[in-house]
Amino acid sequence: ETQANPPDRVILVVDGTQGMEAHYQAINAALAHLSANIDFALLLARDGCEELVPLQKGSAEPLARAALRKFHSTGGHDNLPALIRAWELAAQAKAGTVVWVHGPQPVAMDSAAELRQRFERSSSPPTLLAIQTQPGPNRVLEHLDGLKTVRAMLRLGDLGDDLARLFKSWTNNAGALEITRELVGPAAGQGHPEGTETS
């Protein structure tokens, strides 16, 4: 559990890939819990990047709910152009956060290296919270592995509930659960580090 640091700007990136429309209603419901004191923009990762709700001072929740209601996701879409645009918007704030709601990402384009460089070269990069809607590979996050401000959000149940919990934690200064991965070597005295040889 970590202390939740409320952002002053949230850029929500929603994957426009086929099958994601089943989650738009849950995302809409969760937006009601986003503080009105946080700057907000909504980007759709479809055919590059569509700014459904341009950056707004204060809550743009009604606009976002209406914008997402109009779309039906089709085909597969590269999410990286939308993530790079979200990074640009979030990096302009003192405490910017990109919330990326997406399906599996089986392919990472060359622009994944560009996104990683932006995080590495910034003295105070924004936070990227990746929220995957269903199990599957995520080649984009693999390219961002090891960056301190890039995290996969712990899923505890329904997508809408998980998003609402995240947004409420920023309002109430509550703690937040976070996934921590670490490489663990073999314990001392437990044989060869490569494992036990068998026939």
mmCIF file of all heavy atoms in Angstrom, residues 11-43:
data_model
loop_
_atom_site.group_PDB
_atom_site.id
_atom_site.type_symbol
_atom_site.label_atom_id
_atom_site.label_comp_id
_atom_site.label_asym_id
_atom_site.label_seq_id
_atom_site.Cartn_x
_atom_site.Cartn_y
_atom_site.Cartn_z
ATOM 1 N N ILE A 11 -5.112 12.936 -17.683
ATOM 2 C CA ILE A 11 -5.399 12.693 -19.097
ATOM 3 C C ILE A 11 -5.829 11.227 -19.208
ATOM 4 O O ILE A 11 -5.035 10.326 -18.934
ATOM 5 C CB ILE A 11 -4.163 12.943 -19.987
ATOM 6 C CG1 ILE A 11 -3.502 14.286 -19.643
ATOM 7 C CG2 ILE A 11 -4.565 12.862 -21.450
ATOM 8 C CD1 ILE A 11 -4.375 15.501 -19.821
ATOM 9 N N LEU A 12 -7.078 11.016 -19.545
ATOM 10 C CA LEU A 12 -7.616 9.666 -19.677
ATOM 11 C C LEU A 12 -7.480 9.218 -21.131
ATOM 12 O O LEU A 12 -8.003 9.870 -22.037
ATOM 13 C CB LEU A 12 -9.083 9.633 -19.243
ATOM 14 C CG LEU A 12 -9.819 8.290 -19.362
ATOM 15 C CD1 LEU A 12 -9.171 7.223 -18.498
ATOM 16 C CD2 LEU A 12 -11.290 8.465 -18.983
ATOM 17 N N VAL A 13 -6.741 8.122 -21.344
ATOM 18 C CA VAL A 13 -6.575 7.543 -22.677
ATOM 19 C C VAL A 13 -7.362 6.244 -22.723
ATOM 20 O O VAL A 13 -7.127 5.338 -21.915
ATOM 21 C CB VAL A 13 -5.093 7.264 -23.004
ATOM 22 C CG1 VAL A 13 -4.953 6.600 -24.372
ATOM 23 C CG2 VAL A 13 -4.281 8.553 -22.950
ATOM 24 N N VAL A 14 -8.306 6.142 -23.652
ATOM 25 C CA VAL A 14 -9.141 4.953 -23.774
ATOM 26 C C VAL A 14 -8.828 4.266 -25.103
ATOM 27 O O VAL A 14 -8.840 4.900 -26.164
ATOM 28 C CB VAL A 14 -10.645 5.302 -23.688
ATOM 29 C CG1 VAL A 14 -11.503 4.048 -23.867
ATOM 30 C CG2 VAL A 14 -10.950 5.959 -22.348
ATOM 31 N N ASP A 15 -8.553 2.997 -25.043
ATOM 32 C CA ASP A 15 -8.262 2.177 -26.216
ATOM 33 C C ASP A 15 -9.522 2.082 -27.088
ATOM 34 O O ASP A 15 -10.607 1.791 -26.599
ATOM 35 C CB ASP A 15 -7.827 0.795 -25.729
ATOM 36 C CG ASP A 15 -7.358 -0.130 -26.835
ATOM 37 O OD1 ASP A 15 -7.354 0.282 -28.008
ATOM 38 O OD2 ASP A 15 -6.990 -1.278 -26.513
ATOM 39 N N GLY A 16 -9.367 2.321 -28.391
ATOM 40 C CA GLY A 16 -10.500 2.241 -29.307
ATOM 41 C C GLY A 16 -10.585 0.927 -30.049
ATOM 42 O O GLY A 16 -11.324 0.805 -31.029
ATOM 43 N N THR A 17 -9.852 -0.089 -29.571
ATOM 44 C CA THR A 17 -9.817 -1.387 -30.234
ATOM 45 C C THR A 17 -11.134 -2.140 -30.056
ATOM 46 O O THR A 17 -11.839 -1.953 -29.064
ATOM 47 C CB THR A 17 -8.648 -2.222 -29.663
ATOM 48 O OG1 THR A 17 -7.425 -1.529 -29.932
ATOM 49 C CG2 THR A 17 -8.579 -3.607 -30.269
ATOM 50 N N GLN A 18 -11.445 -2.989 -31.026
ATOM 51 C CA GLN A 18 -12.689 -3.770 -30.991
ATOM 52 C C GLN A 18 -12.817 -4.532 -29.679
ATOM 53 O O GLN A 18 -11.871 -5.136 -29.196
ATOM 54 C CB GLN A 18 -12.703 -4.755 -32.162
ATOM 55 C CG GLN A 18 -14.013 -5.532 -32.284
ATOM 56 C CD GLN A 18 -14.064 -6.343 -33.571
ATOM 57 O OE1 GLN A 18 -13.188 -6.246 -34.407
ATOM 58 N NE2 GLN A 18 -15.099 -7.138 -33.716
ATOM 59 N N GLY A 19 -14.006 -4.489 -29.102
ATOM 60 C CA GLY A 19 -14.269 -5.158 -27.831
ATOM 61 C C GLY A 19 -14.236 -4.205 -26.641
ATOM 62 O O GLY A 19 -14.793 -4.499 -25.585
ATOM 63 N N MET A 20 -13.607 -3.036 -26.809
ATOM 64 C CA MET A 20 -13.500 -2.093 -25.697
ATOM 65 C C MET A 20 -14.820 -1.387 -25.398
ATOM 66 O O MET A 20 -15.030 -0.898 -24.290
ATOM 67 C CB MET A 20 -12.421 -1.056 -25.997
ATOM 68 C CG MET A 20 -10.999 -1.527 -25.731
ATOM 69 S SD MET A 20 -10.680 -1.890 -23.982
ATOM 70 C CE MET A 20 -10.897 -0.275 -23.249
ATOM 71 N N GLU A 21 -15.736 -1.360 -26.393
ATOM 72 C CA GLU A 21 -17.000 -0.653 -26.153
ATOM 73 C C GLU A 21 -17.785 -1.275 -25.002
ATOM 74 O O GLU A 21 -18.612 -0.613 -24.375
ATOM 75 C CB GLU A 21 -17.868 -0.589 -27.418
ATOM 76 C CG GLU A 21 -18.479 -1.906 -27.842
ATOM 77 C CD GLU A 21 -17.562 -2.710 -28.761
ATOM 78 O OE1 GLU A 21 -16.430 -2.289 -28.997
ATOM 79 O OE2 GLU A 21 -18.010 -3.776 -29.238
ATOM 80 N N ALA A 22 -17.512 -2.536 -24.693
ATOM 81 C CA ALA A 22 -18.184 -3.190 -23.567
ATOM 82 C C ALA A 22 -17.801 -2.548 -22.230
ATOM 83 O O ALA A 22 -18.499 -2.725 -21.232
ATOM 84 C CB ALA A 22 -17.825 -4.677 -23.541
ATOM 85 N N HIS A 23 -16.705 -1.790 -22.214
ATOM 86 C CA HIS A 23 -16.212 -1.185 -20.972
ATOM 87 C C HIS A 23 -16.504 0.310 -20.887
ATOM 88 O O HIS A 23 -16.244 0.922 -19.847
ATOM 89 C CB HIS A 23 -14.699 -1.413 -20.852
ATOM 90 C CG HIS A 23 -14.314 -2.853 -20.913
ATOM 91 N ND1 HIS A 23 -14.547 -3.737 -19.878
ATOM 92 C CD2 HIS A 23 -13.719 -3.576 -21.903
ATOM 93 C CE1 HIS A 23 -14.113 -4.943 -20.223
ATOM 94 N NE2 HIS A 23 -13.603 -4.870 -21.437
ATOM 95 N N TYR A 24 -17.026 0.905 -21.949
ATOM 96 C CA TYR A 24 -17.221 2.355 -21.950
ATOM 97 C C TYR A 24 -18.219 2.793 -20.883
ATOM 98 O O TYR A 24 -18.064 3.850 -20.273
ATOM 99 C CB TYR A 24 -17.675 2.836 -23.329
ATOM 100 C CG TYR A 24 -16.612 2.742 -24.415
ATOM 101 C CD1 TYR A 24 -16.930 2.920 -25.752
ATOM 102 C CD2 TYR A 24 -15.283 2.468 -24.099
ATOM 103 C CE1 TYR A 24 -15.960 2.845 -26.743
ATOM 104 C CE2 TYR A 24 -14.315 2.382 -25.082
ATOM 105 C CZ TYR A 24 -14.656 2.568 -26.406
ATOM 106 O OH TYR A 24 -13.691 2.490 -27.387
ATOM 107 N N GLN A 25 -19.248 2.000 -20.646
ATOM 108 C CA GLN A 25 -20.249 2.368 -19.640
ATOM 109 C C GLN A 25 -19.623 2.402 -18.248
ATOM 110 O O GLN A 25 -19.900 3.304 -17.443
ATOM 111 C CB GLN A 25 -21.424 1.394 -19.669
ATOM 112 C CG GLN A 25 -22.568 1.797 -18.749
ATOM 113 C CD GLN A 25 -23.784 0.895 -18.894
ATOM 114 O OE1 GLN A 25 -23.853 0.067 -19.799
ATOM 115 N NE2 GLN A 25 -24.750 1.072 -18.013
ATOM 116 N N ALA A 26 -18.754 1.413 -17.942
ATOM 117 C CA ALA A 26 -18.084 1.376 -16.639
ATOM 118 C C ALA A 26 -17.155 2.577 -16.477
ATOM 119 O O ALA A 26 -17.062 3.164 -15.389
ATOM 120 C CB ALA A 26 -17.301 0.072 -16.490
ATOM 121 N N ILE A 27 -16.467 2.941 -17.557
ATOM 122 C CA ILE A 27 -15.583 4.115 -17.508
ATOM 123 C C ILE A 27 -16.418 5.369 -17.261
ATOM 124 O O ILE A 27 -16.068 6.211 -16.423
ATOM 125 C CB ILE A 27 -14.782 4.234 -18.820
ATOM 126 C CG1 ILE A 27 -13.852 3.036 -18.992
ATOM 127 C CG2 ILE A 27 -13.986 5.537 -18.843
ATOM 128 C CD1 ILE A 27 -13.231 2.915 -20.376
ATOM 129 N N ASN A 28 -17.535 5.479 -17.968
ATOM 130 C CA ASN A 28 -18.437 6.626 -17.780
ATOM 131 C C ASN A 28 -18.897 6.747 -16.330
ATOM 132 O O ASN A 28 -18.896 7.839 -15.753
ATOM 133 C CB ASN A 28 -19.659 6.492 -18.684
ATOM 134 C CG ASN A 28 -19.407 7.006 -20.090
ATOM 135 O OD1 ASN A 28 -18.555 7.854 -20.289
ATOM 136 N ND2 ASN A 28 -20.145 6.493 -21.054
ATOM 137 N N ALA A 29 -19.295 5.628 -15.740
ATOM 138 C CA ALA A 29 -19.796 5.653 -14.363
ATOM 139 C C ALA A 29 -18.703 6.095 -13.388
ATOM 140 O O ALA A 29 -18.963 6.849 -12.443
ATOM 141 C CB ALA A 29 -20.323 4.276 -13.978
ATOM 142 N N ALA A 30 -17.467 5.655 -13.628
ATOM 143 C CA ALA A 30 -16.366 5.990 -12.725
ATOM 144 C C ALA A 30 -15.997 7.464 -12.785
ATOM 145 O O ALA A 30 -15.528 8.041 -11.794
ATOM 146 C CB ALA A 30 -15.147 5.136 -13.057
ATOM 147 N N LEU A 31 -16.231 8.103 -13.935
ATOM 148 C CA LEU A 31 -15.861 9.516 -14.091
ATOM 149 C C LEU A 31 -16.589 10.428 -13.113
ATOM 150 O O LEU A 31 -16.115 11.515 -12.798
ATOM 151 C CB LEU A 31 -16.125 9.971 -15.526
ATOM 152 C CG LEU A 31 -15.124 9.476 -16.569
ATOM 153 C CD1 LEU A 31 -15.624 9.787 -17.975
ATOM 154 C CD2 LEU A 31 -13.751 10.078 -16.344
ATOM 155 N N ALA A 32 -17.721 9.979 -12.597
ATOM 156 C CA ALA A 32 -18.473 10.773 -11.631
ATOM 157 C C ALA A 32 -17.682 10.977 -10.342
ATOM 158 O O ALA A 32 -17.967 11.895 -9.567
ATOM 159 C CB ALA A 32 -19.814 10.106 -11.327
ATOM 160 N N HIS A 33 -16.674 10.132 -10.098
ATOM 161 C CA HIS A 33 -15.892 10.205 -8.859
ATOM 162 C C HIS A 33 -14.606 11.016 -9.016
ATOM 163 O O HIS A 33 -13.832 11.140 -8.067
ATOM 164 C CB HIS A 33 -15.555 8.796 -8.380
ATOM 165 C CG HIS A 33 -16.756 7.951 -8.118
ATOM 166 N ND1 HIS A 33 -17.552 8.107 -6.999
ATOM 167 C CD2 HIS A 33 -17.338 6.964 -8.856
ATOM 168 C CE1 HIS A 33 -18.552 7.250 -7.044
ATOM 169 N NE2 HIS A 33 -18.447 6.544 -8.157
ATOM 170 N N LEU A 34 -14.388 11.569 -10.206
ATOM 171 C CA LEU A 34 -13.195 12.378 -10.436
ATOM 172 C C LEU A 34 -13.436 13.798 -9.914
ATOM 173 O O LEU A 34 -14.462 14.404 -10.213
ATOM 174 C CB LEU A 34 -12.869 12.412 -11.932
ATOM 175 C CG LEU A 34 -11.518 13.000 -12.340
ATOM 176 C CD1 LEU A 34 -10.372 12.173 -11.757
ATOM 177 C CD2 LEU A 34 -11.405 13.037 -13.862
ATOM 178 N N SER A 35 -12.497 14.292 -9.126
ATOM 179 C CA SER A 35 -12.659 15.608 -8.502
ATOM 180 C C SER A 35 -12.798 16.714 -9.548
ATOM 181 O O SER A 35 -12.109 16.719 -10.572
ATOM 182 C CB SER A 35 -11.456 15.903 -7.603
ATOM 183 O OG SER A 35 -11.481 17.248 -7.167
ATOM 184 N N ALA A 36 -13.657 17.691 -9.252
ATOM 185 C CA ALA A 36 -13.844 18.836 -10.146
ATOM 186 C C ALA A 36 -12.648 19.777 -10.117
ATOM 187 O O ALA A 36 -12.534 20.667 -10.951
ATOM 188 C CB ALA A 36 -15.111 19.589 -9.746
ATOM 189 N N ASN A 37 -11.729 19.585 -9.153
ATOM 190 C CA ASN A 37 -10.562 20.456 -9.039
ATOM 191 C C ASN A 37 -9.397 19.993 -9.905
ATOM 192 O O ASN A 37 -8.345 20.622 -9.911
ATOM 193 C CB ASN A 37 -10.095 20.507 -7.580
ATOM 194 C CG ASN A 37 -11.157 21.095 -6.673
ATOM 195 O OD1 ASN A 37 -11.848 22.031 -7.064
ATOM 196 N ND2 ASN A 37 -11.289 20.549 -5.480
ATOM 197 N N ILE A 38 -9.567 18.870 -10.610
ATOM 198 C CA ILE A 38 -8.504 18.305 -11.431
ATOM 199 C C ILE A 38 -8.747 18.650 -12.899
ATOM 200 O O ILE A 38 -9.840 18.434 -13.410
ATOM 201 C CB ILE A 38 -8.434 16.767 -11.250
ATOM 202 C CG1 ILE A 38 -8.074 16.420 -9.799
ATOM 203 C CG2 ILE A 38 -7.435 16.146 -12.209
ATOM 204 C CD1 ILE A 38 -8.096 14.923 -9.499
ATOM 205 N N ASP A 39 -7.733 19.192 -13.568
ATOM 206 C CA ASP A 39 -7.830 19.412 -15.011
ATOM 207 C C ASP A 39 -7.975 18.061 -15.697
ATOM 208 O O ASP A 39 -7.373 17.073 -15.261
ATOM 209 C CB ASP A 39 -6.584 20.124 -15.540
ATOM 210 C CG ASP A 39 -6.473 21.554 -15.043
ATOM 211 O OD1 ASP A 39 -7.422 22.035 -14.393
ATOM 212 O OD2 ASP A 39 -5.432 22.173 -15.288
ATOM 213 N N PHE A 40 -8.721 18.025 -16.790
ATOM 214 C CA PHE A 40 -9.077 16.734 -17.381
ATOM 215 C C PHE A 40 -9.128 16.818 -18.903
ATOM 216 O O PHE A 40 -9.542 17.828 -19.467
ATOM 217 C CB PHE A 40 -10.451 16.302 -16.844
ATOM 218 C CG PHE A 40 -10.978 15.025 -17.445
ATOM 219 C CD1 PHE A 40 -10.527 13.798 -16.999
ATOM 220 C CD2 PHE A 40 -11.923 15.062 -18.470
ATOM 221 C CE1 PHE A 40 -11.016 12.619 -17.563
ATOM 222 C CE2 PHE A 40 -12.410 13.899 -19.031
ATOM 223 C CZ PHE A 40 -11.955 12.670 -18.571
ATOM 224 N N ALA A 41 -8.677 15.747 -19.555
ATOM 225 C CA ALA A 41 -8.853 15.589 -21.006
ATOM 226 C C ALA A 41 -9.098 14.121 -21.284
ATOM 227 O O ALA A 41 -8.634 13.243 -20.539
ATOM 228 C CB ALA A 41 -7.622 16.085 -21.764
ATOM 229 N N LEU A 42 -9.818 13.844 -22.356
ATOM 230 C CA LEU A 42 -10.123 12.468 -22.753
ATOM 231 C C LEU A 42 -9.645 12.249 -24.178
ATOM 232 O O LEU A 42 -10.055 12.960 -25.099
ATOM 233 C CB LEU A 42 -11.626 12.203 -22.656
ATOM 234 C CG LEU A 42 -12.134 10.873 -23.232
ATOM 235 C CD1 LEU A 42 -11.526 9.687 -22.494
ATOM 236 C CD2 LEU A 42 -13.657 10.811 -23.163
ATOM 237 N N LEU A 43 -8.757 11.261 -24.348
ATOM 238 C CA LEU A 43 -8.227 10.911 -25.665
ATOM 239 C C LEU A 43 -8.658 9.500 -26.018
ATOM 240 O O LEU A 43 -8.629 8.604 -25.173
ATOM 241 C CB LEU A 43 -6.693 10.983 -25.670
ATOM 242 C CG LEU A 43 -6.037 12.255 -25.132
ATOM 243 C CD1 LEU A 43 -4.515 12.161 -25.277
ATOM 244 C CD2 LEU A 43 -6.563 13.490 -25.832
#
